């Protein structure tokens, strides 16, 4: 499977067009699209490929768990949850934990400690515009969890650099939305450990 997640941060019609055009890839649906299209946009996009829902959840466990259940029942494989919730992050195969962001945040001071504590989830989100961070994390966690990485293209990361550093999938929004034919740049790349998102 192509190790690319297309972040559909755009309007509903454009998102559906891009998903149709790039059928079979993985798509990320976030607040922007959910506010535009309602929660049903998740199942609409899921007709064209795997869907990761990125609401960057940050609430008490029973609320986060209820939202995960609703999102998964609409056809998403998984959901991104804020890592600062640790140790109250719900576990499970549907959960991706945000460990460090592409922009400067307080995660920069704790991400390596947080990394050591993550367990029982599907994977983690790390900044693809910082391949050294990805390489460090992959060395630490081995192939226990997936690593998916935004920050490619518009935020400075080069296509393939995070995958070569140990990521499984790169998350790309504007660079691919501006010209969907650029998705071909990921066709020959191989994920470090997992070939499903
Ligand atoms: P773009 O490729 O257009 O910069 O979009 C990046 C996408 O990845 C956005 O959907 C954004 O919410 C997400 N993202 C990010 O940019 N940095 C992070 O640290 C975590 C993210 O989920």
């Amino acid at each position: 499977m192509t190790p690319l997640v297309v972040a559909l941060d755009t309007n509903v019609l454009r998102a559906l067009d891009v998903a149709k055009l790039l059928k079979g890839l993985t798509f990320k649906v976030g607040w922007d699209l959910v506010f535009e299209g309602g929660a049903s946009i998740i199942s609409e996009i899921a007709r064209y490929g795997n869907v990761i829902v990125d609401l960057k959840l940050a609430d008490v466990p029973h609320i986060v768990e209820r939202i995960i259940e609703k999102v998964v029942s609409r056809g998403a494989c998984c959901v991104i949850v804020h890592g600062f919730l640790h140790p109250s992050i719900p576990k499970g195969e549907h959960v991706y934990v945000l460990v460090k962001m592409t922009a400067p945040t307080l995660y920069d001071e704790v991400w390596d400690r947080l990394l050591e504590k993550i367990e029982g989830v599907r994977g983690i989100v790390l900044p693809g515009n910082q391949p050294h961070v990805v390489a460090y994390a992959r060395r630490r966690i081995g192939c226990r969890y997936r690593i998916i990485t935004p920050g490619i293209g518009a935020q400075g990361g080069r296509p393939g650099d995070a995958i070569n550093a140990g990521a499984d999938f790169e998350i790309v929004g504007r660079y691919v939305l501006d010209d969907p034919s650029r998705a071909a740049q990921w066709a020959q790349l191989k994920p470090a450990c997992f070939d499903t998102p």
Side-chain angles (χ1 to χ4, degrees):
M1 172 172 268
T2 304
L4 172 64
V5 179
V6 181
L8 296 173
D9 305 320
T10 181
N11 64 63
V12 172
L13 289 181
R14 177 82 179 130
L16 287 168
D17 276 353
V18 171
K20 267 179 220 162
L21 194 64
L22 300 178
K23 194 172 174 26
L25 291 187
T26 302
F27 303 102
K28 185 169 84 69
V29 172
W31 283 115
D32 192 1
L33 194 55
V34 168
F35 271 115
E36 287 243 4
S40 62
I41 193 70
I42 297 168
S43 30
E44 285 179 56
I45 299 294
R47 287 162 53 202
Y48 304 105
N50 294 303
V51 173
I52 299 174
V53 171
D54 177 12
L55 304 177
K56 294 194 178 63
L57 297 172
D59 209 327
V60 286
H62 74 284
I63 302 293
V64 174
E65 273 160 18
R66 282 174 63 90
I67 296 170
I68 292 172
E69 204 182 292
K70 291 194 169 81
V71 165
V72 168
S73 75
R74 287 184 181 271
C77 70
C78 26
V79 179
I80 297 174
V81 174
H82 260 297
F84 63 68
L85 288 179
H86 175 81
S88 300
I89 301 171
K91 297 197 186 344
E93 57 172 341
H94 301 301
V95 176
Y96 272 104
V97 180
L98 181 57
V99 170
K100 189 180 193 301
M101 296 194 75
T102 54
T105 68
L106 272 180
Y107 281 116
D108 298 340
E109 294 176 25
V110 296
W111 71 273
D112 46 349
R113 276 193 290 144
L114 179 57
L115 184 70
E116 306 295 328
K117 297 177 189 300
I118 302 295
E119 55 177 10
V121 295
R122 186 176 191 87
I124 60 176
V125 183
L126 289 173
N129 55 351
Q130 299 165 43
H132 62 284
V133 167
V134 177
Y136 173 89
R138 182 56 87 193
R139 278 198 305 278
R140 300 295 302 191
I141 69 173
C143 280
R144 275 185 297 148
Y145 307 118
R146 290 164 176 79
I147 298 178
I148 59 174
T149 55
I152 312 299
Q155 295 186 58
R158 284 182 309 181
D161 277 4
I163 288 173
N164 292 331
D168 298 305
F169 284 73
E170 291 182 358
I171 299 172
V172 188
R174 291 163 287 176
Y175 183 71
V176 168
L177 293 176
D178 288 351
D179 177 359
S181 72
R182 290 174 176 161
Q185 294 173 26
W186 280 265
Q188 304 306 322
L189 295 171
K190 297 273 168 272
C193 293
F194 293 87
D195 64 3
T196 53

